[in-house]
Amino acid sequence: MHTIWKGSISFGLVNIPIKLHAATEDKDIKLRSLHKKCHTPIKYEKICPVCEEELSQDDIVKGYEATKGKYIVIEDEELNELKKATEEKAVEIVDFIKLTEIDPIYFNRSYYMSPNDTGIKAYSLLREALTETEKAGIAKIVMRSKEQLAVIRVYNHTLLMETIHFPDEVRSVEDVPSVPEKSDVSKKELETAILLIDQLTTKFEPEKYEDEYRSKLLKLIESKQAGKEVVTPKPKEEKTNVSDLMSALQASIDQSKPKKTKKAAAKRKTTGKKKAE
């Protein structure tokens, strides 16, 4: 399993060198955008709309929009200094809580935690302590240049870290439009709804749920491939300067022809008249 972060978790005087591994994966089927005419993948370029220039990564800096149209430029060196200052701090479990106290709206991403060779005993100690107390640890960690709040808990005999949102990242429910304040449902309607919920209540078995859209899309792709409905991008035509070259050659020929002088033209005109007489 790929390691995405290395560091240590500590609680009290106990320090645990650990590695993080993504616990989930995105299985969305990625579709490319093609040019309908020739089936060539569309290329997205970074172009400055003012300078009308295509930009490389070296031409791009980061900026914070302080007011509309006005930016404060943050240099990469400044960001790296901030990142280094925070990442060098130990990731410490600051509190222990009951997991049920955290509303699911706070949860973000899940990561498996594995110990380094020197941290196996401390890893086991934390795992067993959390299991016995049925609690989870709250810690802070810096990942991808962002400080995140995290919950450390036990999942299937493995320590699991789940990043959670900070309180100011969760939008207020008061901003949700059209939520009714009072209930207009009758007692009978409520009892019927509760009865229906009871009838549909079952044990959670995640393996019985399937992404039906993804399955159908995969079958569609496989059937098209079997039927050889596969398109190939039209080869890019190499631009040549043949037409320009022909124009240049023709212009050169025209320029090399002797120019007709008025005197020569008049002489030919006189000679022509004499022959006619």
Side-chain angles (χ1 to χ4, degrees), residues 40 58 79 90 92 94 123 126 136 188 201 222 225 245 264:
T40 301
D58 293 336
L79 289 174
E92 182 182 5
V94 294
Y123 181 96
L126 178 59
K188 187 171 183 178
T201 299
E222 290 169 359
Q225 189 172 14
L245 180 60

Side-chain angles (χ1 to χ4, degrees), residues 148-162:
Q148 301 192 47
L149 204 57
V151 173
I152 298 171
R153 65 185 181 91
V154 180
Y155 174 77
N156 287 349
H157 206 59
T158 301
L159 287 181
L160 179 77
M161 186 187 81
E162 296 193 66

Side-chain angles (χ1 to χ4, degrees), residues 26-32 208-224:
D26 182 7
K27 291 217 169 182
D28 286 348
I29 299 173
K30 293 178 172 57
L31 301 177
R32 295 288 302 274
K208 78 177 185 179
Y209 303 103
E210 180 186 12
D211 186 341
E212 295 182 13
Y213 173 79
R214 178 161 57 92
S215 298
K216 290 178 180 178
L217 181 55
L218 276 173
K219 288 180 181 178
L220 176 62
I221 292 171
E222 290 169 359
S223 66
K224 282 180 171 286

Side-chain angles (χ1 to χ4, degrees), residues 18-161:
I18 56 98
K19 294 178 282 188
L20 292 185
H21 318 272
T24 59
E25 58 181 326
D26 182 7
K27 291 217 169 182
D28 286 348
I29 299 173
K30 293 178 172 57
L31 301 177
R32 295 288 302 274
S33 296
L34 309 180
H35 183 192
K36 186 176 182 179
K37 179 180 178 181
C38 65
H39 301 124
T40 301
I42 295 173
K43 182 179 180 182
Y44 295 94
E45 299 176 331
K46 295 177 181 178
I47 297 176
C48 175
V50 175
C51 302
E52 297 184 350
E53 296 178 359
E54 185 176 350
L55 307 179
S56 67
Q57 192 58 42
D58 293 336
D59 299 320
I60 300 173
V61 295
K62 291 180 174 62
Y64 173 79
E65 190 170 14
T67 58
K68 185 67 175 177
K70 295 186 181 296
Y71 299 88
I72 297 173
V73 175
I74 308 295
E75 301 292 344
D76 288 341
E77 292 78 8
E78 294 172 311
L79 289 174
N80 290 334
E81 283 297 319
L82 288 176
K83 182 179 177 182
K84 184 178 179 181
T86 51
E87 283 188 337
E88 286 180 349
K89 294 180 181 179
V91 180
E92 182 182 5
I93 296 177
V94 294
D95 292 307
F96 288 95
I97 50 94
K98 288 284 186 181
L99 192 61
T100 53
E101 296 175 350
I102 305 176
D103 191 278
I105 195 173
Y106 285 93
F107 290 111
N108 187 10
R109 296 290 301 272
S110 301
Y111 301 90
Y112 291 129
M113 301 173 67
S114 66
N116 286 348
D117 294 337
T118 57
I120 293 177
K121 186 174 181 179
Y123 181 96
S124 301
L125 174 63
L126 178 59
R127 181 185 61 195
E128 299 308 317
L130 292 178
T131 301
E132 287 291 325
T133 59
E134 297 182 346
K135 292 184 179 180
I138 298 291
K140 284 185 178 181
I141 184 172
V142 175
M143 293 178 64
R144 301 184 179 93
S145 303
K146 183 180 185 298
E147 185 176 60
Q148 301 192 47
L149 204 57
V151 173
I152 298 171
R153 65 185 181 91
V154 180
Y155 174 77
N156 287 349
H157 206 59
T158 301
L159 287 181
L160 179 77
M161 186 187 81

Side-chain angles (χ1 to χ4, degrees), residues 165-179:
H165 295 288
F166 284 99
D168 60 353
E169 294 178 319
V170 179
R171 293 177 176 176
S172 173
V173 294
E174 296 177 359
D175 297 331
V176 183
S178 306
V179 176

